[in-house]
């Protein structure tokens, strides 16, 4: 049984009292609270964000490229955010395919200022804890054009057209492609190698890299070069790189230098809902105020989460403390109950462990400060995060 150690909430006497809410900016407050579990006490650091306040908003923090990483505090300061937490799980290491470098790219879809940055990798190729029943790598949370927060699922809608035919895109700026597909890499990807895109399978992350791969570079609507394997290095603005594996590679081999090619792509909400202005990958742990069925209740860890309440007008950003005193953390089932007790109706689990970081800027300060203790002792560079923006 997990209890919030707060005044007015039934539970064991607190090991330490919870801090009162402290103002970060108009509509944004911070506090910490202690959480009693069978393993001891975990400490949660929280930002409460009122999205219906004038000037208050959330947005994607990222280093300017999908396959790049930076400390959350640097991302927040670079974007002039008053606070934030780390975001999606990502491709941190690559031990299953020797010689293939890790990309640092996130798992799920990402949208920044209404622009699609990337789509989801195949679910079997994701990193992170086991998903609850019915979840997949395409799930996100974010803020729509109406200014309210919500959960969703973003699906890639795109195609490659030429005189050789038309076929759907299977990927956008992602470290792993579905079997038999063609993926698109744009300048948003960055300089990281594209070799990992043709490794693994739709059912096994550790499946071998395929031999049948092909790459086509398109500029100003025409093929400018072809290659027998995925390359690396920056992609210039106005240039696109198509990478195919298996049947997708066979399709790309039908293109020759000089051929005209038309590319179309976007991310659409699977439920037909309004476009997201900002979105980041994360899987649901709470829906309708009730924990999602099948959540793991055995494995505890330092975690990051986002809760949504008041019809999408309020968001709670939560990161657990990773100091030795509190490092026992929470299970996913416990995390869901904590977000529900805060008042959330929906909540998602974000990347945890050494990535869990929460930052905020004190009034008058030049930059944000890390308010939890990352479990690695210092901030882990991350590919993205959630920024809180407000007038101080």
């Amino acid at each position: 049984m997990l209890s919030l150690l707060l005044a007015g909430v039934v539970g064991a006497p607190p090991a330490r009292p919870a801090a009162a809410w402290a103002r970060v900016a108009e509509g944004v407050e911070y506090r910490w609270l202690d959480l009693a579990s069978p393993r001891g006490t975990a400490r949660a650091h929280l930002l409460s964000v009122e999205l219906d306040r004038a000037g208050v908003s959330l947005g994607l923090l990222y280093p300017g490229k999908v396959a790049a990483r930076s400390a959350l505090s640097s991302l927040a300061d670079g974007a002039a955010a008053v606070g934030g937490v780390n975001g999606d799980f990502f491709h941190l290491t690559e031990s299953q395919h020797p010689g293939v470098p890790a990309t640092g790219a996130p798992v799920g879809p990402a949208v920044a200022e209404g622009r699609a940055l990337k789509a989801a990798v195949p679910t079997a190729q994701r990193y992170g804890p086991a998903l609850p029943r019915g979840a997949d790598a395409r799930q996100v949370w974010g803020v729509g054009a109406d200014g309210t927060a919500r959960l969703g699922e973003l699906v890639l809608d795109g195609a490659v057209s030429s005189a050789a035919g038309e076929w759907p895109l299977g990927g956008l700026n992602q470290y792993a492609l579905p079997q038999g597909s063609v993926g698109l890499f744009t300048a948003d990807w960055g300089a990281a190698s594209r070799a990992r895109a043709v490794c693994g399978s739709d059912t096994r992350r550790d499946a071998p890299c395929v031999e049948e791969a092909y790459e086509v570079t398109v500029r100003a609507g025409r093929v400018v070069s072809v290659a027998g394997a995925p390359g690396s290095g920056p992609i210039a603005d106005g240039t696109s790189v198509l990478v195919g594996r298996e049947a997708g590679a066979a399709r790309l081999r039908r293109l020759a230098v000089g051929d005209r090619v038309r590319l179309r792509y976007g991310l659409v909400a699977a439920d037909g809902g309004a476009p997201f202005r900002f979105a980041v990958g994360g899987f649901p742990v709470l829906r309708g105020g009730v924990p999602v069925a099948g959540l793991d209740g055995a494995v505890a860890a330092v975690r990051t989460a986002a809760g949504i309440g008041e019809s999408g007008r309020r968001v709670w950003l939560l990161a657990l403390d990773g100091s030795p005193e509190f490092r026992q953390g929470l299970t996913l089932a416990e995390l869901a109950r904590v977000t529900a007790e805060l008042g959330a109706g929906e909540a998602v689990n974000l990347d945890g462990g050494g990535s869990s970081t929460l930052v905020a800027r004190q009034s008058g300060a030049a930059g944000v400060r890390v308010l939890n203790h990352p479990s690695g002792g210092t901030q882990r560079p991350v590919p993205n995060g959630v920024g809180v923006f407000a007038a101080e």
Side-chain angles (χ1 to χ4, degrees), residues 35-122:
L35 306 163
S37 79
R39 298 167 304 281
T41 301
R43 175 162 292 179
H45 297 260
L46 288 162
L47 287 174
S48 170
V49 184
E50 298 177 47
L51 291 177
D52 55 356
R53 291 288 189 102
V56 176
S57 64
L58 298 175
L60 187 74
L61 300 177
Y62 75 110
K65 301 297 179 184
V66 168
R69 298 192 290 145
S70 185
L72 181 68
S73 59
S74 297
L75 296 177
D77 286 341
V82 300
V85 296
N86 63 288
D88 199 0
F89 295 89
F90 61 98
H91 184 207
L92 175 61
T93 61
E94 184 55 64
S95 60
Q96 296 170 322
H97 303 96
V100 176
T103 64
V107 166
V111 175
E113 298 180 342
R115 188 165 63 89
L117 292 179
K118 72 174 299 289
V121 301

Side-chain angles (χ1 to χ4, degrees), residues 24-314:
V24 174
E26 189 67 28
V28 183
E29 294 180 311
Y30 162 77
R31 81 182 301 174
W32 58 262
L33 56 88
D34 283 342
L35 306 163
S37 79
R39 298 167 304 281
T41 301
R43 175 162 292 179
H45 297 260
L46 288 162
L47 287 174
S48 170
V49 184
E50 298 177 47
L51 291 177
D52 55 356
R53 291 288 189 102
V56 176
S57 64
L58 298 175
L60 187 74
L61 300 177
Y62 75 110
K65 301 297 179 184
V66 168
R69 298 192 290 145
S70 185
L72 181 68
S73 59
S74 297
L75 296 177
D77 286 341
V82 300
V85 296
N86 63 288
D88 199 0
F89 295 89
F90 61 98
H91 184 207
L92 175 61
T93 61
E94 184 55 64
S95 60
Q96 296 170 322
H97 303 96
V100 176
T103 64
V107 166
V111 175
E113 298 180 342
R115 188 165 63 89
L117 292 179
K118 72 174 299 289
V121 301
T123 297
Q125 295 233 43
R126 60 178 290 278
Y127 289 83
L131 293 172
R133 187 168 56 252
D136 61 49
R138 300 183 300 184
Q139 291 177 307
V140 299
W141 82 278
V143 175
D146 63 355
T148 61
R150 74 180 202 267
L151 308 188
E153 186 171 318
L154 287 176
V155 179
L156 177 62
D157 178 24
V160 181
S161 302
S162 73
E166 178 175 306
W167 52 87
L169 280 175
L172 170 65
N173 291 328
Q174 55 199 64
Y175 65 78
L177 294 173
Q179 290 175 250
S181 71
V182 172
L184 170 65
F185 292 83
T186 70
D188 287 325
W189 171 252
S193 170
R194 299 177 290 275
R196 178 60 180 79
V198 299
C199 302
S201 72
D202 293 348
T203 57
R204 288 176 49 204
R205 195 175 69 199
D206 63 348
C209 302
V210 302
E211 294 184 3
E212 180 59 18
Y214 204 67
E215 183 171 279
V216 170
T217 301
V218 177
R219 186 179 304 123
R222 288 188 181 273
V223 175
V224 295
S225 67
V226 298
S232 62
I235 300 171
D237 290 337
T239 298
S240 301
V241 176
L242 296 168
V243 174
R245 53 177 293 174
E246 298 109 349
R251 291 179 179 130
L252 290 183
R253 288 182 186 278
R254 297 165 64 186
L255 298 176
V257 173
D259 284 356
R260 289 188 177 276
V261 174
R262 179 176 175 270
L263 302 172
R264 174 184 61 81
Y265 68 91
L267 295 174
V268 297
D271 63 1
F276 280 93
R277 188 177 68 204
F278 134 77
V280 65
F283 63 86
V285 295
L286 187 73
R287 284 190 179 275
V290 178
V292 170
L295 290 176
D296 180 80
V299 179
V302 176
R303 302 189 187 275
T304 302
I308 301 171
E310 299 177 15
S311 300
R313 298 188 301 274
R314 183 184 291 271

